[in-house]
DNA sequence: CGCCGGTTTGACGCTCTTCAACGGTTGTGG
DNA sequence: CCACAACCGTTGAAGAGCGTCAAACCGGCG
């Protein structure tokens, strides 16, 4: 493993650690254990499937760079994105105990992943109970985001769904230093937004226009620019408490 | 704690163990550790809130009897049910590491709960790594069910949403011996189905009629009767693989 | 008996989908 | 350098699916 690769590993672990340390202390030994659990690096081109549904897995992926998504398809070709993932997300940590995934993980942009063998994760649960709880926590945060999406898809209007997505990503990208005050890079297309929001691409296009016309947010050229954050949050009924940003012993 | 209460605890632990043992071996010592973690019993009447969003928690609830649901409300009074829970579900195990819940847990029927203090759960993560992984697994199964609901709410039609719900509950209730070949007791009202399916009660009523007229399923008098299981699954595009019923070391 | 929660049905309207066409941009090959 | 394809975004018109409002019905229970 050359120096370049070590930098990528350090970057991935740093992003994950940053997110975990928002929620609880993490010792240097625990960080070292995480870094030591990484076996290799993988790159996936935009549009490719990274992990395929149903395939038995013996390792998990930690996203370092780019945008990935969990999604499922229906028989008629409709697609639904469950969660949009950003740097530092331990995307398919779920497969550690599930043994496989019941959904696909796709690259919405070019992405870089750290590979973590399940054996190494099991060792962490045996030797580092607190770190194990923190990894468990990170899957619970996924579940909490899933629940918020259930609320969004079940009960919110189309504009509100998009507004909510933009608000959530603003907060999550701020946590890892990838958002500016007024927005962030988001290298995906409108069809991806549609698949995340449970809408058609055509309707997403119209609702984006509405959000633009209302002076709330602009999505253009792979960038989200938030003009009126309070207004956007209001339209979305966005309350970040479901992201569990409080710091206490776990 | 009298003999009656011990029976209830045994029943609750047995239901949980049955579900976990579908997925992996569980030793007697592990079962004993689970039973020993229970501190008390609580009953909640139908319609009451059992766990309220945002409140700091120091214990988790394991459902023994009745039907409970996780749900969130929007400002205008709309409600969305995230997950319908049945006996043996460790409903708010999530609060162990989250510290609070970001949603409510309500009793759709009269329910009985086992109370498990978080301190006892922490001890399990220190002393019984494999059991800890199995509890972690049970929260991952919640997440997997959440994802299936996201797909349902985002992309399935109204009839399909209801059909899917009935299929899922048939399988989950079979696991704990609470379903017959052709259906099961489900003591909830149509408005609850609506909140779970992201629909209005009026439209649920119409779609139930459609399912009845098509000879697939009848929901009447707190009972779901499935007339044509294959047909119902087909309408729902129901594939139980997201419930991870395979048995292997975790 | 009369109330009450839940179910059922009808009429109407709005949100979102569908289908179709057009424009802009980028990359590719002749 | 231009022609062309491929992809993405944008817009219009028409229609389906689900929501809203309102009324009637039904069974259980005080």
């Amino acid at each position: 493993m050359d120096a370049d690769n070590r930098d990528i590993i350090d970057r991935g672990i740093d992003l994950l650690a940053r997110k975990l340390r928002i929620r609880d202390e993490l010792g240097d030994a625990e960080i070292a254990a995480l870094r030591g659990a990484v076996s290799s690096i993988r790159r996936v081109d935009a549009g490719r499937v990274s992990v395929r549904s149903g395939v038995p897995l013996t390792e998990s992926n930690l996203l370092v760079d780019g945008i990935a998504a969990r999604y499922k398809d229906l028989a008629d070709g409709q697609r639904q994105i469950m969660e949009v993932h950003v740097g530092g997300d331990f995307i398919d940590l779920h497969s550690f105990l599930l043994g496989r995934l019941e959904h696909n993980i796709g690259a919405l942009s070019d992405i870089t992943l750290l590979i973590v063998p399940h054996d190494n994760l099991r060792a962490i649960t045996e030797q580092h109970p607190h770190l194990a709880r923190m990894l468990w926590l990170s899957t619970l945060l996924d579940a909490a985001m899933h629940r918020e999406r259930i609320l969004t898809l079940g009960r919110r209007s189309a504009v509100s769904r998009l507004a909510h997505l933009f608000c959530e990503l603003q907060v999550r990208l701020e946590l890892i230093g990838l958002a500016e005050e007024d927005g962030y890079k988001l290298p995906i297309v409108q069809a991806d937004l549609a698949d995340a929001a449970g809408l058609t691409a055509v309707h997403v296009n119209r609702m984006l226009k509405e959000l633009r016309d209302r002076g709330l947010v602009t999505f253009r050229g792979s960038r989200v620019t938030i003009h009126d954050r309070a207004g956007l949050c209001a339209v979305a009924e966005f309350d970040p408490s479901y992201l569990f940003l409080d710091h206490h012993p776990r």
Side-chain angles (χ1 to χ4, degrees), chain A residues 3 14 30 49 60 66 73 75 141 161-162 172 175 180 247:
Chain A
D14 178 59
E30 292 177 314
V49 180
S60 288
D73 294 310
L141 296 175
R161 292 183 199 188
L162 291 172
R172 287 171 59 199
L175 299 183
E180 289 105 67
H247 187 101

Side-chain angles (χ1 to χ4, degrees), chain A residues 106-188:
Chain A
L108 299 188
S109 71
D110 292 349
I111 60 174
T112 308
L113 299 161
L114 302 188
I115 306 296
V116 182
H118 289 168
D119 288 344
N120 297 352
L121 292 170
R122 186 166 298 106
I124 287 177
T125 68
E126 308 280 347
Q127 294 153 26
H128 299 276
H130 176 258
L131 179 56
R133 290 198 298 271
M134 293 304 286
L135 291 178
W136 184 354
L137 172 67
S138 93
T139 63
L140 295 177
L141 296 175
D142 283 327
M145 286 190 280
H146 289 352
R147 287 191 290 271
E148 188 68 19
R149 187 161 297 272
I150 289 172
L151 174 62
T152 296
L153 296 180
R155 295 303 189 193
R156 286 193 239 253
S157 68
V159 257
S160 182
R161 292 183 199 188
L162 291 172
H164 195 277
L165 190 58
F166 292 140
C167 289
E168 175 179 313
L169 286 172
Q170 172 74 25
V171 171
R172 287 171 59 199
L173 288 168
E174 277 172 354
L175 299 183
I176 52 171
L178 284 184
E180 289 105 67
E181 185 62 26
D182 72 328
Y184 44 90
K185 264 200 103 271
L186 187 66
I188 69 177

Side-chain angles (χ1 to χ4, degrees), chain A residues 22-215:
Chain A
I22 288 168
R23 278 88 178 192
D24 191 9
E25 311 285 325
L26 225 58
D28 291 345
E30 292 177 314
I31 300 292
L34 276 177
R35 185 176 289 111
V38 176
S39 74
S40 60
I41 290 173
R42 201 155 64 92
R43 276 167 232 273
V44 180
D45 291 340
R48 310 295 298 250
V49 180
S50 169
V51 181
R52 210 169 284 275
S53 174
V55 178
L57 300 171
T58 59
E59 48 194 34
S60 288
N61 296 292
L62 169 56
L63 182 60
V64 183
D65 276 313
I67 304 288
R70 307 171 186 270
Y71 67 89
K72 299 197 200 193
D73 294 310
L74 284 180
D76 62 358
Q78 289 190 94
R79 159 168 307 191
Q80 178 62 47
I81 290 178
M82 274 78 210
E83 197 175 345
V84 175
H85 285 287
V86 302
D89 284 357
F90 213 144
I91 314 184
D92 74 341
L93 180 52
H94 296 245
S95 73
F96 163 40
L97 294 176
L98 294 178
R100 58 180 167 86
L101 290 184
E102 90 295 356
H103 56 277
N104 301 303
I105 293 181
L108 299 188
S109 71
D110 292 349
I111 60 174
T112 308
L113 299 161
L114 302 188
I115 306 296
V116 182
H118 289 168
D119 288 344
N120 297 352
L121 292 170
R122 186 166 298 106
I124 287 177
T125 68
E126 308 280 347
Q127 294 153 26
H128 299 276
H130 176 258
L131 179 56
R133 290 198 298 271
M134 293 304 286
L135 291 178
W136 184 354
L137 172 67
S138 93
T139 63
L140 295 177
L141 296 175
D142 283 327
M145 286 190 280
H146 289 352
R147 287 191 290 271
E148 188 68 19
R149 187 161 297 272
I150 289 172
L151 174 62
T152 296
L153 296 180
R155 295 303 189 193
R156 286 193 239 253
S157 68
V159 257
S160 182
R161 292 183 199 188
L162 291 172
H164 195 277
L165 190 58
F166 292 140
C167 289
E168 175 179 313
L169 286 172
Q170 172 74 25
V171 171
R172 287 171 59 199
L173 288 168
E174 277 172 354
L175 299 183
I176 52 171
L178 284 184
E180 289 105 67
E181 185 62 26
D182 72 328
Y184 44 90
K185 264 200 103 271
L186 187 66
I188 69 177
V189 297
Q190 292 185 6
D192 295 327
L193 288 177
D195 289 340
L199 301 167
T200 58
V202 172
H203 200 60
V204 163
N205 182 280
R206 288 189 235 272
M207 297 301 102
L208 287 176
K209 177 169 161 54
E210 163 124 17
L211 287 168
R212 235 182 296 129
D213 292 349
R214 286 212 238 166

